[in-house]
Amino acid sequence: MSSLIVFISIVGTVLIGAISPGPSFVLVSHTAIIRSRSAGLAAALGMGIGGAIFALLALAGLSALLMRVEWAYLLFKLLGGVYLAYLGLRIWRGASVPLPPESAKPSAGGASVWKSLALGLATQLSNPKTAIVYGSIFAAFLPPAPERWLFSALPLGVFVVEAGWYALVALVFSAERPRAAYGRAKHVVDRVAGAVLVGLGLRLVLDALRMRAV
């Protein structure tokens, strides 16, 4: 298999995974609607940076190391689970708060944009399953001795895929019609989204505790 085919296969598989709805999708869409388009795009940038970090870790073989060092993987799962549950509770608690009119939306100042970028990065890095999935993808497609250019091209390609997809999500959900539709069903949508994130977080915590008990 040529290196170009390896690159396309890995990046394409990562794209399929990014498109699948999950905590990252919930966060970016919610940020774009509640805060601003700029904040949503900043969160998307955070997702891209997180994806590139996971790609670098996979290339370094640290994903496989996590699977071998049980306590590190357990700690990763516990912290990630607690973070996702916290994020879900925040969204759930804000479900009853009406969506402010467009003119009253928070300003997309520098602090807000940086906060959204950090939130996107933290959400991406909080999911240990993503690290393992990246490790599995890279292990499946990378040859034993990959060409040097792949070590820089793959993290960059993953960044473009992750940031590009979630930027599209931010642009779509910050538009007028999706925002209006969300406003009409905000109390339901936020509670469902919050419950999903809390459920995912608790599942990670319970999985970690179960592994610890074995």
Side-chain angles (χ1 to χ4, degrees):
M1 186 183 297
S2 71
S3 294
L4 181 58
I5 297 299
V6 169
F7 175 81
I8 293 172
S9 299
I10 291 177
V11 171
T13 306
V14 169
L15 175 60
I16 294 171
I19 292 173
S20 304
S24 300
F25 181 90
V26 172
L27 174 78
V28 173
S29 58
H30 192 265
T31 301
I33 292 171
I34 296 296
R35 293 183 178 276
S36 66
R37 176 170 291 178
S38 297
L41 291 173
L45 182 61
M47 296 296 172
I49 295 172
I53 290 173
F54 276 136
L56 288 169
L57 292 177
L59 286 167
L62 293 183
S63 299
L65 181 62
L66 273 179
M67 293 299 291
R68 293 192 181 96
V69 183
E70 184 180 354
W71 67 266
Y73 186 49
L74 289 177
L75 182 62
F76 195 6
K77 293 192 82 165
L78 280 172
L79 293 177
V82 169
Y83 174 76
L84 288 180
Y86 164 74
L87 194 61
L89 284 174
R90 281 186 57 186
I91 293 176
W92 175 282
R93 290 178 62 185
S96 58
V97 179
L99 190 65
E102 186 69 26
S103 59
K105 287 177 71 175
S107 61
S112 176
V113 168
W114 281 108
K115 182 179 178 181
S116 298
L117 188 150
L119 191 59
L121 177 60
T123 301
Q124 181 78 303
L125 295 180
S126 69
N127 193 346
K129 290 187 176 180
T130 304
I132 303 305
V133 167
Y134 267 70
S136 301
I137 293 171
F138 278 63
F141 289 105
L142 272 182
E147 293 186 37
R148 288 186 179 180
W149 68 269
L150 285 173
F151 287 89
S152 55
L154 282 171
L156 180 60
V158 168
F159 169 81
V160 170
V161 163
E162 293 273 6
W165 165 250
Y166 288 112
L168 179 61
V169 171
L171 290 173
V172 168
F173 280 88
S174 61
E176 183 179 348
R177 288 187 180 179
R179 187 174 187 274
Y182 169 80
R184 291 191 293 270
K186 181 180 183 297
H187 62 293
V188 175
V189 174
D190 277 9
R191 281 179 181 148
V192 170
V196 168
L197 289 180
V198 170
L200 288 172
L202 291 178
R203 182 178 176 183
L204 284 175
V205 171
L206 290 175
D207 283 349
L209 294 177
R210 226 178 268 123
M211 289 174 64
R212 183 70 182 87
V214 173

